[in-house]
Amino acid sequence: MKTEHRYLLLSAAVLFASACSGSERTPVDTPAPPIAKPASSLPKALSVVGTNDLHGHIEMLPLFGGYLNILREHKQDAVLLIDGGDMFQGTLESNLQEGAPIVEAYNKLGYHAATIGNHEFDFGPVGEDATVQSEGQDPRGALKARAAQANFPFLGANILDSENREPVAWPNVRPTAMARVAGIEVGIIGVSTFETPSVTLAANFVGLSMHPLADTIAAQAEALRSQGAQVIVVAAHAGGDCKHFDDSTDISSCSPEQEIMLVANQLPTKAVDVIVAGHTHRGMAHQINGIAIIESYSYGAAFGRVDLLIAPTGETSLQTIHPPRSLCLDKKDKRPDCDAGSYEGKPVQADEELAALAKVAAGFAAKIRSKPLGIELTGPVLRSRSDASALGNLFVDLMLAAQPKADVAINNGGSLRASLPQGNLLYGDLFEAMPFDNRFALVTLRGQTLKKLIASNLRADRGNLSIAGMRAKASCKQGDLAVTLT
């Protein structure tokens, strides 16, 4: 007789999871310059700069501001600055003030628009509660406060109100935006990953639903074109994964099943010119279905750039898709794209105003960051997203200790973001290891269901599961994956 085992499973509800002015003087007795063509007969240049998944790392923004200052001077302000979402969840400097320092810095940087990522919902109501705990609290209160603070629009074209099936219309939150940059009319659409409801705190997403990305983008692009948009740029908190950037037309190193790849291939020809992607924390600088797509990893380590030419007839052509550009200031940095701390032939200097903002935020967080926890680590406790790790094992053991009714604890490796360093353990170290507002979820599962869950995780590239309370053994048998639980 077969015994059916049931397990009380403890899981972390993981939240999966960048004017040139001056007088000119003609010397005396020099030949007259050739007569220039009328400006209207010359193509206009536009650089689209994209950032994504900053996750609160305000310390990177002064250096990014230095690069941006150089580019704006070089391009005579013909620069469109867009963010692909997940702006402010993930550091003490940002989280302690529910993202306010990041929005203040983005205002200074001069962003034209940012899309709403799944982690923008994490803070819940304004104040300490991460979810609604009392009558009158707004589950999106903190997000709305950040949008109201911004000098640029927050976009969410495919985030719908479940009752009227229309895009959310909160103060300074809308589906699209129009920006006039160096005389060019640019339409901007913001969308987020279709899996948003399952990769943020569900309680903060109640009353909302998602519309398919491709359908949303196609409809909004057509509407923006009818309003006079010459260029269509999408800020998408949905991403891809490419390994090589030598040739933007070579997509052999790109994962074809990633969400932004599928979306781009579903769009009508020439509906969209550029997509600033995000969410996957990977790199892209490629053409998919005639669309330039850029994604620049995460945490402010890099930014993306696309150079366009707009003919007098309004036709847009792609000039260059630049590989993700690492932020480099130290001349000792030997990465190939660092150029000894220079950009467009000029030395990069961190923006002083942004440096002052970052310093204030760091000071605000310093006291709690440096709080000792009374534990000394004799060596580092290392993380790994794709393999079993000491850090993953530590966290699931802690989960079982915190929830003694559970038989098994499972946590996804994608929620672990930093190893614990050797030495006296500080609050800031532990926070950075799991910086998101994860919550416990207790569910009852059959043993067979638990086997399927583990097998599904092993077949996919979504972060290795750490497990406590049981041992799982997987093996290949006749072309199938067999899982045994002990």
Side-chain angles (χ1 to χ4, degrees), residues 198-253:
S198 62
V199 287
T200 187
L201 290 173
N204 294 340
F205 205 77
V206 168
L208 303 177
S209 61
M210 304 300 295
H211 195 68
L213 281 74
D215 292 349
T216 300
I217 294 168
Q220 296 289 356
E222 184 177 2
L224 288 169
R225 296 281 189 193
S226 70
Q227 296 169 31
Q230 299 167 272
V231 177
I232 300 293
V233 176
V234 177
H237 194 67
D241 180 10
C242 302
K243 301 295 190 296
H244 302 299
F245 310 100
D246 300 331
D247 180 357
S248 66
T249 63
D250 181 3
I251 60 172
S252 61
S253 73

Side-chain angles (χ1 to χ4, degrees), residues 44 178 180 183-187 224-225 228-232 273 310-316:
K44 295 180 179 179
M178 287 283 284
R180 185 174 178 84
I184 302 165
E185 297 292 342
V186 183
L224 288 169
R225 296 281 189 193
Q230 299 167 272
V231 177
I232 300 293
D273 298 293
I310 297 87
T313 58
E315 183 177 348
T316 300

Side-chain angles (χ1 to χ4, degrees), residues 95-315:
N95 284 27
L96 289 174
Q97 300 178 71
E98 297 188 321
I102 302 302
V103 175
E104 185 178 1
Y106 273 29
N107 284 341
K108 170 65 180 65
L109 284 162
Y111 275 82
H112 291 90
T115 199
I116 295 174
N118 56 292
H119 282 295
E120 262 68 81
F121 292 94
D122 290 357
F123 294 140
V126 172
E128 293 187 1
D129 293 330
T131 58
V132 170
Q133 300 297 315
S134 60
E135 187 176 352
Q137 287 184 312
D138 184 343
R140 270 82 70 177
L143 170 55
K144 292 176 183 178
R146 297 292 71 78
Q149 177 192 356
N151 295 337
F152 53 93
F154 281 23
L155 305 180
N158 70 325
I159 302 173
L160 308 184
D161 185 301
S162 297
E163 290 188 5
N164 60 26
R165 300 298 298 169
E166 293 292 329
V168 293
W170 308 321
N172 201 32
V173 177
R174 51 187 186 266
T176 65
M178 287 283 284
R180 185 174 178 84
V181 182
I184 302 165
E185 297 292 342
V186 183
I188 310 166
I189 305 165
V191 292
S192 190
T193 174
F194 196 71
E195 63 180 9
T196 295
S198 62
V199 287
T200 187
L201 290 173
N204 294 340
F205 205 77
V206 168
L208 303 177
S209 61
M210 304 300 295
H211 195 68
L213 281 74
D215 292 349
T216 300
I217 294 168
Q220 296 289 356
E222 184 177 2
L224 288 169
R225 296 281 189 193
S226 70
Q227 296 169 31
Q230 299 167 272
V231 177
I232 300 293
V233 176
V234 177
H237 194 67
D241 180 10
C242 302
K243 301 295 190 296
H244 302 299
F245 310 100
D246 300 331
D247 180 357
S248 66
T249 63
D250 181 3
I251 60 172
S252 61
S253 73
C254 302
S255 175
E257 296 303 315
Q258 291 287 342
E259 188 173 16
I260 205 62
M261 300 281 285
L262 300 174
V263 168
N265 280 313
Q266 293 170 25
L267 292 173
T269 304
K270 296 185 178 180
V272 169
D273 298 293
V274 179
I275 296 177
V276 176
H279 186 52
T280 56
H281 294 200
R282 306 298 173 89
M284 282 195 75
H286 295 79
Q287 295 181 61
I288 308 297
N289 190 23
I291 304 168
I293 304 180
I294 52 175
E295 184 177 358
S296 306
Y297 308 115
S298 61
Y299 304 160
F303 64 91
R305 173 181 160 191
V306 177
D307 294 336
L308 302 174
L309 288 176
I310 297 87
T313 58
E315 183 177 348

Side-chain angles (χ1 to χ4, degrees), residues 20 69-77 305 344 346:
C20 183
N69 292 339
I70 292 172
L71 182 62
R72 282 177 169 150
E73 181 180 1
H74 179 70
K75 290 290 183 177
Q76 297 184 336
D77 282 336
R305 173 181 160 191
E344 294 294 348
K346 293 191 175 183

